[in-house]
Amino acid sequence: MKAIRKKAAAKINLGLDVLGKRDDGYHELRMVMETVGICDRLTLTATRAKGIRLKTNRGFLPRDGRNLAYRAAQLLMEEAGVEDGLYIDLYKKIPVAAGLAGGSSDAAAVLEGVNELFGLGLSRSELMERGARIGADVPYCVMKGPALAEGFGEILTPLDPLPECHIVLAKPAARASTAQVFARFDELANWAHPDIDGQMEGLKRGDLKQVVRCMGNVLELVTIPMVPEVSALKELMMGCGAAGAMMSGSGPSVFGIFEDPEDAKRAYSRLREAPQAAEVFLTEPYEPGPGTGGEDDD
């Protein structure tokens, strides 16, 4: 039977602001997003046996409708009345529960793969609309690249590319529940808003220093007290020559942006030995390749 291979790339937030809580329970967000070259790999195979089967190298992950990749396949296949079955082999490299949208990116890759595998003929905007039913980050993970995300993350505007740089990303062993992070954030009376407009202007001008200067993530206010390793990792990256370092999403992953590739390599080596970091990656902004979604950095 026919098979399709896809890559699902991680995302980082160069800027993350919360404007308030909406009546529907979601939070009104304003974020600058970027895709990086840390990728999960998926193989989607059409089968004669009906139903969806999912295999993954991470044994603790669910393999049913609790998994966003499974849910994405189920949504499209039921909608289109696909009679064949589907086998999904998911090799995860993106850290789990890390603020990197790994599950959402897997779902986006499955939407794209199912669309191609069964010839459904859906456009990218149609896949993004269906992705919004699965999770807030899924539309962005279909779109990829630098973007402004508004609403609860589903209103997307492409931005100019991040100037050439090198990215070191580290995840502590501890986890930060997104629901708990936002619940604690709702208890705050006020907070300083990052300069999202200034960051977009920096991207437009190709000015990496301005982009970095305007970096900010308001969720650090509540995640750092829960996971102090976030602050320690930021300090380590800055001490290694990072132009800037910040937590991604609701955390607890931290990334540093480096102009000098040698500084990035030294930071990567040092962080691999740091007790605060359980997983460390050296990567760059992501450039999709035809049919695969780009190359990761292994």
Side-chain angles (χ1 to χ4, degrees):
M1 297 291 282
K2 185 179 178 183
I4 285 181
R5 292 177 175 83
K6 303 294 291 184
K7 290 183 180 178
K11 68 85 185 168
I12 57 174
N13 299 90
L14 297 173
L16 193 160
D17 195 10
V18 179
L19 305 181
K21 193 169 184 180
R22 299 161 27 147
D23 292 339
D24 61 8
Y26 285 102
H27 289 80
E28 193 73 23
L29 305 173
R30 198 159 186 255
M31 306 178 289
V32 175
M33 314 275 268
E34 178 59 281
T35 315
V36 296
I38 304 166
C39 297
D40 293 343
R41 299 173 183 267
L42 300 94
T43 302
L44 283 67
T45 307
T47 64
R48 293 185 177 88
K50 295 186 183 298
I52 299 167
R53 290 184 299 139
L54 189 152
K55 172 190 173 185
T56 176
N57 62 316
R58 300 288 181 96
F60 58 86
L61 289 177
R63 303 178 188 183
D64 53 22
R66 294 169 295 168
N67 189 301
L68 296 185
Y70 185 107
R71 198 181 308 168
Q74 187 176 47
L75 187 154
L76 283 195
M77 292 172 70
E78 288 183 354
E79 178 186 275
V82 174
E83 295 184 0
D84 289 336
L86 180 69
Y87 177 66
I88 303 170
D89 189 346
L90 168 60
Y91 180 85
K92 285 205 67 67
K93 184 176 180 181
I94 302 171
V96 176
L100 303 173
S104 295
S105 192
D106 293 339
V110 168
L111 289 175
E112 295 166 354
V114 168
N115 188 44
E116 295 171 23
L117 189 63
F118 298 112
L120 304 185
L122 296 171
S123 67
R124 186 173 72 163
S125 62
E126 288 172 325
L127 293 177
M128 290 168 65
E129 182 275 323
R130 284 153 180 81
R133 305 180 205 170
I134 300 166
D137 283 334
V138 180
Y140 169 74
C141 292
V142 173
M143 179 177 168
K144 307 177 186 67
L148 173 69
E150 299 175 287
F152 60 77
E154 86 288 7
I155 303 170
L156 297 165
T157 305
L159 298 175
D160 293 282
L162 185 64
E164 182 179 353
C165 62
H166 307 271
I167 298 168
V168 177
L169 189 146
K171 178 189 176 293
R175 294 189 178 188
S177 160
T178 299
Q180 189 176 15
V181 167
F182 275 100
R184 294 194 180 185
F185 188 84
D186 288 339
E187 297 172 1
L188 299 179
N190 54 69
W191 54 91
H193 297 278
D195 187 0
I196 299 294
D197 289 332
Q199 192 164 68
M200 291 193 294
E201 178 62 26
L203 288 171
K204 185 176 181 180
R205 293 171 52 194
D207 186 341
L208 183 63
K209 287 183 170 59
Q210 180 172 341
V211 172
V212 170
R213 187 168 61 248
C214 295
M215 279 172 34
N217 181 346
V218 297
L219 296 181
E220 288 185 347
L221 293 170
V222 293
T223 301
I224 287 176
M226 296 164 61
V227 186
E229 293 93 330
V230 169
S231 182
L233 289 171
K234 288 178 64 177
E235 291 177 9
L236 277 169
M237 289 187 185
M238 295 302 293
C240 289
M246 194 178 83
M247 183 181 81
S248 181
S250 58
S253 295
V254 174
F255 66 91
I257 293 181
F258 294 79
E259 296 183 81
D260 186 333
E262 295 306 315
D263 284 345
K265 290 175 184 176
R266 282 190 289 270
Y268 172 73
S269 297
R270 182 174 175 188
L271 283 158
R272 289 188 70 184
E273 299 175 355
Q276 298 92 342
E279 298 178 76
V280 184
F281 302 85
L282 176 61
T283 187
E284 295 179 348
Y286 172 89
E287 295 182 8
T292 64
E295 293 294 331
D296 60 358
D297 56 323
D298 51 15

